[in-house]
Amino acid sequence: MSVDGIWQLIIDSPMGKQETMLNLSNVDGVLTGTMVNEAGGMSTEIFEGRAEATDLQWKAKLSKMPVTLTFRTTVDDDLMSGTVKAGFLGSFRVSGEKR
């Protein structure tokens, strides 16, 4: 199973569902990529990304507020689910589908 490619993520935040496109690349367990939220006008590189079997972890910084997002997800074929911790804002569910 390859996690490489474009994922459409939905984050269940207090401000409603946030749709984000995630372009992932996995090389020897190291995840790199870019997250883009067109509605919010945000694009950011992910960092500290790791892939272990079906478990993924990565971080991303928001440009419009001083918050680091920490993602912990599990992949099952073309589906992703897990949580994102948004600093002082708390943790939220995240789900996604590979495009």
Side-chain angles (χ1 to χ4, degrees), residues 2 9 15 20 23 33 38-40 48 59 61 69 72 74 82:
S2 173
L9 299 183
M15 298 174 289
T20 301
N23 190 347
E38 290 181 8
E48 295 182 21
K59 294 181 179 181
K61 288 191 179 192
L69 304 176
R72 294 181 187 273
T74 301

Side-chain angles (χ1 to χ4, degrees), residues 1-3 6-10 22 24 53-56 58 73-82 94-99:
M1 177 220 39
S2 173
V3 299
I6 297 174
W7 293 81
Q8 180 178 3
L9 299 183
I10 305 216
L22 173 66
L24 276 183
T54 60
D55 295 328
L56 308 181
W58 72 93
T73 65
T74 301
V75 173
D76 184 8
D77 290 322
D78 290 342
L79 299 176
M80 184 184 296
S81 62
V94 62
S95 59
E97 186 174 352
K98 194 172 185 182
R99 296 290 166 191

Side-chain angles (χ1 to χ4, degrees), residues 28-61:
D28 297 327
V30 177
L31 287 179
T32 57
T34 306
M35 291 183 63
V36 177
N37 178 316
E38 290 181 8
M42 181 196 81
S43 176
T44 187
E45 297 294 315
I46 69 168
F47 62 98
E48 295 182 21
R50 295 190 326 243
E52 296 177 17
T54 60
D55 295 328
L56 308 181
Q57 296 181 32
W58 72 93
K59 294 181 179 181
K61 288 191 179 192

